[in-house]
Amino acid sequence: MEADVVHLALAFDTNRIQQAGLIQPGWERELPSNSIVAKSVVALVTRPGNPKRIQGWSDLARNGVSVITANPKTSGVARWNFLALWGSVVRNGGNEQAARNFVNQVYRNVPILPRDAREASDVFFKQNQGDVLINYENEVLLARQQGETEPFIIPPVNISIDTPVAVVDKNVDKHGTLRIAEAFVRYLYTPEAQREFAKVGFRPVNAAVASEFSRNFPRINNLFTVDSLGGWNGTQTRFFADGAVFDQIQTALNRR
């Protein structure tokens, strides 16, 4: 369909596409679950036997723990990781300064900032660097299907990594494929499609299918969304823009 339907794994990409005039404002209200077709959360992958005894977020800030995560300036997964770290504090009773201090301590333990999630995984698995890898739960579950055996932890305070879908208005108008595109999008919400998402590690949005696969996905007691941190527009400006919080943290660490 020549990209008539665009699957958007990162919510801020939809903002960029909307700003480019390819989709209309309010696109998220056109489909069930605010146009979210599947979800994931953040996982912490450790070495066999978990020698550093990583149990949750707070352990990532301990002295002697090497953390592998990608660069939020270049990687979408790394932005989710950053927001999960920040939210693990503010959603657990901590204030903004406590969140900043914690995130600063974690990035002090990050020896290298790979460009993207694939490179971060290579650093951890192939180059054998780091004690813990921050990654998507769905990536970890898929890796286990492919033979990886490293243990992992799903922290009980976590961020909902939402996978939205949108019909690209300009493309379907140009090619006359609106009905086909809309039919495909509707299919993604069917039990059949939702089961396929679950089989490769994504949390389905269909409640009945989610119940079928409940053993695969630990319950998250404190699950928050990017909207609770200001939405993608707000977090991009506050945390990831040039000179924003992430840059400030890196500048302070580089001065040590």
Side-chain angles (χ1 to χ4, degrees), residues 121-136:
S121 294
D122 286 346
V123 167
F124 185 78
F125 291 110
K126 295 181 179 180
Q127 299 178 25
N128 203 35
Q129 294 189 48
D131 301 306
V132 57
L133 169 70
I134 311 179
N135 204 352
Y136 291 160

Side-chain angles (χ1 to χ4, degrees), residues 209-223:
V209 177
S211 180
E212 289 179 31
F213 288 85
S214 60
R215 292 185 178 180
N216 296 26
F217 305 107
R219 181 179 176 83
I220 308 297
N221 295 325
N222 190 341
L223 185 67

Side-chain angles (χ1 to χ4, degrees), residues 68-139:
I68 301 300
T69 181
N71 189 340
K73 301 288 284 189
T74 57
S75 167
V77 65
R79 297 185 189 195
W80 286 110
N81 294 349
F82 182 100
L83 294 176
L85 290 166
W86 189 276
S88 73
V89 176
V90 299
R91 294 285 296 186
N92 207 28
N95 60 28
E96 298 290 316
Q97 187 58 52
R100 189 182 184 113
N101 291 343
F102 172 68
V103 173
N104 182 80
Q105 290 172 338
V106 172
Y107 278 92
R108 181 190 60 193
N109 289 342
V110 176
I112 183 174
L113 285 170
R115 180 173 177 81
D116 54 32
R118 175 64 59 82
E119 198 172 295
S121 294
D122 286 346
V123 167
F124 185 78
F125 291 110
K126 295 181 179 180
Q127 299 178 25
N128 203 35
Q129 294 189 48
D131 301 306
V132 57
L133 169 70
I134 311 179
N135 204 352
Y136 291 160
E137 177 189 51
N138 58 285
E139 291 289 341

Side-chain angles (χ1 to χ4, degrees), residues 30-71:
E30 296 178 0
L31 296 166
S33 303
N34 289 322
S35 294
I36 306 301
V37 294
K39 300 183 178 185
S40 192
V41 293
V42 176
L44 307 179
V45 185
T46 72
R47 295 298 178 188
N50 194 6
K52 292 299 178 77
R53 299 182 180 179
I54 305 296
Q55 299 298 321
W57 296 117
S58 61
D59 295 314
L60 306 188
R62 283 197 279 112
N63 291 333
V65 173
S66 177
V67 180
I68 301 300
T69 181
N71 189 340

Side-chain angles (χ1 to χ4, degrees), residues 225-243:
T225 68
V226 68
D227 287 340
S228 68
L229 299 178
W232 276 116
N233 285 335
T235 54
Q236 170 63 27
T237 300
R238 183 182 180 194
F239 295 115
F240 308 122
D242 291 344

